[in-house]
Amino acid sequence: MKVLVTGGAGYIGSTTAKALEEAGHTPVILDSLLSGPRAFVRDRIFYEGDIADRSLLRRLAAEHPDIDATIHMAARIVVPESVQQPYEYYRDNVAKSLDLFDELTSLGLPRVLFSSSASLYATKDGFEVTEDDALDPPSPYARTKRMMEQALQDMAAATELRAVILRYFNPIGSDPDLESGIYVKEPSHVLGQLVLAARGQKPTFTVTGTDLPTRDGTGIRDYVHVWDLARAHVRAVEQFDDVLAAVGAPSTIVNIGTGDGVTVRELIASFESVFGAKVPLDEAPPRPGDAVGAFANVDKARELLGWTAELTIDDAIGSALAWAEKRHEILGYE
Ligand SMILES: NC(=O)c1ccc[n+]([C@@H]2O[C@H](COP(=O)([O-])OP(=O)(O)OC[C@H]3O[C@@H](n4cnc5c(N)ncnc54)[C@H](O)[C@@H]3O)[C@@H](O)[C@H]2O)c1
């Protein structure tokens, strides 16, 4: 199959492109390089440009009339920045995605997989969430994701467009061959911060929120290895029509996580055992907008996609540490 991957120069997109190749498919990358590094595109078919550039999309479709599906990952993704710059987030994640979906439909490329997020879920007792649970997107970023879920559902109901929406939980780790991984200089997410503290690139790791209503007071997440996440896309692309036939609807939403909730303190313990040393810690109150957290009920992913996560949290931590050693070679910075 040939698969258009928007945002294919990014962290998850580049890993997904590789998983597609390993399964015998051909990714076609569309990325503006707004944030993703050129090095992650490697030697793949690449269009540098914007998802809302309709003439570029028409050229791309004319040059690749055999595209079977689009994985739409291109987006702005930094939550605090979305609070500061809501216009840019709504413009790029919402308005431009609408143009992309409309153009894909006109071009006769109706199969869309969309990258959504577990950050949409409202806090729930027990923390395990199914796709039908209540939502309460806490930031402009998360609201752009919810809006696009709704837009896709409405467009799929009214047009030829068909949508499989994947709600990712918390992707961590690197490509197993260390060809891509986290590329931002100062990652804000928990594992990136742990790696920085372990490598002495920052003095301590700060546990933000120690009085939350979880088993040890720290936030709970469902950390899924980015390679497992990439494989979920391969499954979803390969079985796209069957998935929608099975649900009997033109669109559907599927949680992509491991099904296990892990607290920040538990993640630190795993990290220290893989790293082989203690990490200096301090504590602070939760940051504004920090959620208590959730973990995925993964029944739907298992039943519809035949997919479950296979790699462990230790695998992900090990690959993140190895990537931190290696990434200078690929990115040119520590
Ligand atoms: N990383 C996470 O924790 C996480 C969690 C849930 C969902 N997601 C979603 O997964 C997707 C991929 O995330 P990621 O972590 O790989 O992010 P990323 O920033 O590494 O990748 C996004 C890519 O999109 C490109 N891009 C942005 N705007 C564009 C535009 N208008 N036109 C063309 N290209 C554009 C960027 O250059 C970048 O390469 C995003 O949609 C994100 O919202 C990520």
Side-chain angles (χ1 to χ4, degrees):
M1 296 174 78
K2 198 176 259 187
V3 183
L4 174 59
V5 184
T6 77
Y11 167 52
I12 303 169
S14 58
T15 315
T16 299
K18 179 165 174 179
L20 286 165
E21 287 167 344
E22 289 207 354
H25 308 303
T26 305
V28 174
I29 309 299
L30 170 62
D31 198 300
S32 63
L33 304 183
L34 173 73
S35 53
R38 176 67 182 81
F40 282 6
V41 177
R42 300 174 64 78
D43 57 357
R44 300 184 175 115
I45 302 168
F46 177 44
Y47 291 80
E48 181 175 343
D50 197 281
I51 51 165
D53 181 343
R54 287 179 183 254
S55 63
L56 175 63
L57 290 169
R58 287 194 285 270
R59 178 161 69 84
L60 189 156
E63 288 170 1
H64 301 281
D66 48 345
I67 286 175
D68 296 286
T70 299
I71 303 179
H72 177 40
M73 296 200 185
R76 290 181 182 259
I77 70 154
V78 185
V79 171
E81 190 182 73
S82 79
V83 177
Q84 303 299 325
Q85 301 176 22
Y87 165 67
E88 285 78 357
Y89 274 70
Y90 286 104
R91 179 194 61 197
D92 288 10
N93 293 5
V94 177
K96 289 185 178 185
S97 293
L98 285 173
D99 276 343
L100 171 72
F101 298 151
D102 182 57
E103 193 59 41
L104 290 174
T105 311
S106 307
L107 289 166
L109 301 174
R111 297 188 189 92
V112 173
L113 265 116
F114 178 64
S115 306
S116 190
S117 166
S119 65
L120 301 191
Y121 287 109
T123 305
K124 185 186 172 195
D125 283 350
F127 307 111
E128 179 178 2
V129 288
T130 72
E131 291 80 355
D132 298 324
D133 275 320
L135 302 177
D136 184 18
S139 65
Y141 163 75
R143 287 190 276 279
T144 68
K145 291 288 165 184
R146 179 57 186 148
M147 284 179 188
M148 291 326 297
E149 289 189 346
Q150 292 172 312
L152 278 171
Q153 288 167 330
D154 289 342
M155 290 173 91
T159 71
E160 300 300 308
L161 190 82
R162 295 291 174 265
V164 174
I165 295 163
L166 302 181
R167 283 193 187 141
Y168 309 163
F169 279 66
N170 300 86
I172 58 169
S174 303
D175 157 43
D177 301 324
L178 304 182
E179 288 172 349
S180 63
I182 293 289
Y183 60 84
V184 286
K185 288 191 176 147
E186 272 215 32
S188 60
H189 71 286
V190 52
L191 182 56
Q193 288 281 313
L194 273 169
V195 171
L196 289 178
R199 288 167 53 86
Q201 291 168 274
K202 64 189 293 269
T204 54
F205 172 82
T206 306
V207 182
T208 46
T210 53
D211 207 10
L212 302 171
T214 61
R215 51 187 171 256
D216 62 16
T218 64
I220 192 161
R221 299 286 183 273
D222 182 335
Y223 297 102
V224 57
H225 197 300
V226 69
W227 184 248
D228 276 330
L229 177 59
R231 285 195 311 100
H233 290 84
V234 176
R235 287 295 177 97
V237 163
E238 288 175 345
Q239 300 171 64
F240 193 98
D241 294 344
D242 295 341
V243 165
L244 293 182
V247 294
S251 65
T252 195
I253 298 176
V254 186
N255 282 344
I256 302 293
T258 64
D260 285 325
V262 172
T263 68
V264 174
R265 288 204 199 286
E266 289 163 356
L267 180 72
I268 294 168
S270 298
F271 184 89
E272 289 179 337
S273 99
V274 175
F275 182 57
K278 290 273 182 203
V279 177
L281 303 178
D282 60 22
E283 295 181 0
R287 296 162 301 187
D290 268 351
V292 180
F295 67 93
N297 176 293
V298 289
D299 292 350
K300 199 168 169 184
R302 189 167 42 235
E303 284 157 21
L304 275 184
L305 305 180
W307 173 90
T308 49
E310 289 174 0
L311 296 167
T312 65
I313 203 156
D314 288 4
D315 294 328
I317 292 167
S319 76
L321 281 163
W323 168 250
E325 290 292 320
K326 158 100 186 212
R327 75 177 200 165
H328 185 263
E329 256 176 59
I330 292 174
L331 297 171
Y333 51 81
E334 282 298 324

